Amino acid sequence: MTRAKCRESAEKESRMQQAIVTFREKQKRSGTASVRAIAKEFNVPRSTLQDRIGGKPARNQAHEQLMHLTKVEETELVNWITTLTQRGYAPRYRTMRELAEFI
């Protein structure tokens, strides 16, 4: 599961995606496209745009495959923590880890 984004970073990611699409369209039409001009047009960092065009994933998706819990397991863990919190118990890290290993 990817990390939740704040509004500003979501807007920046949206501009980045639009810039990538624009770059690829211009590349198809004319055969040449300026990364620097497109980065300036969409107000995104040139180096980041160049990396993303080259295939580098977004920061919030880069380590997604390293997550050890499945969606169902994560949901179960969240429900358990919520239940403990509602009953007035603070879940300890060690207890959460043991439950995650059990699941």
Side-chain angles (χ1 to χ4, degrees):
M1 182 173 189
T2 58
R3 186 176 177 188
K5 298 179 188 178
C6 69
R7 195 181 96 216
E8 293 149 1
S9 61
E11 290 171 358
K12 184 177 180 180
E13 179 61 27
S14 175
R15 289 192 317 267
M16 182 66 70
Q17 290 299 323
Q18 291 173 344
I20 292 168
V21 169
T22 302
F23 176 82
R24 291 190 175 139
E25 286 175 357
K26 285 185 179 183
Q27 190 89 22
K28 279 184 180 178
R29 274 189 271 140
S30 64
T32 59
S34 169
V35 174
R36 182 176 289 148
I38 292 173
K40 192 171 186 176
E41 178 183 343
F42 287 95
N43 191 26
V44 294
R46 181 202 51 79
S47 59
T48 306
L49 177 59
Q50 192 157 0
D51 288 344
R52 296 285 293 281
I53 288 169
K56 187 174 182 181
R59 177 179 267 180
N60 66 337
Q61 297 170 349
H63 301 287
E64 196 170 82
Q65 71 276 8
L66 299 175
M67 302 298 168
H68 298 291
L69 298 178
T70 65
K71 190 78 165 161
V72 174
E73 292 169 340
E74 185 175 340
T75 303
E76 183 63 32
L77 189 60
V78 168
N79 289 337
W80 179 75
I81 292 169
T82 303
T83 302
L84 274 181
T85 305
Q86 288 173 345
R87 292 181 181 174
Y89 296 103
R92 295 186 177 143
Y93 178 77
R94 187 174 130 222
T95 311
M96 288 189 302
R97 186 176 186 95
E98 288 173 1
L99 182 64
E101 289 173 359
F102 178 74
I103 292 175

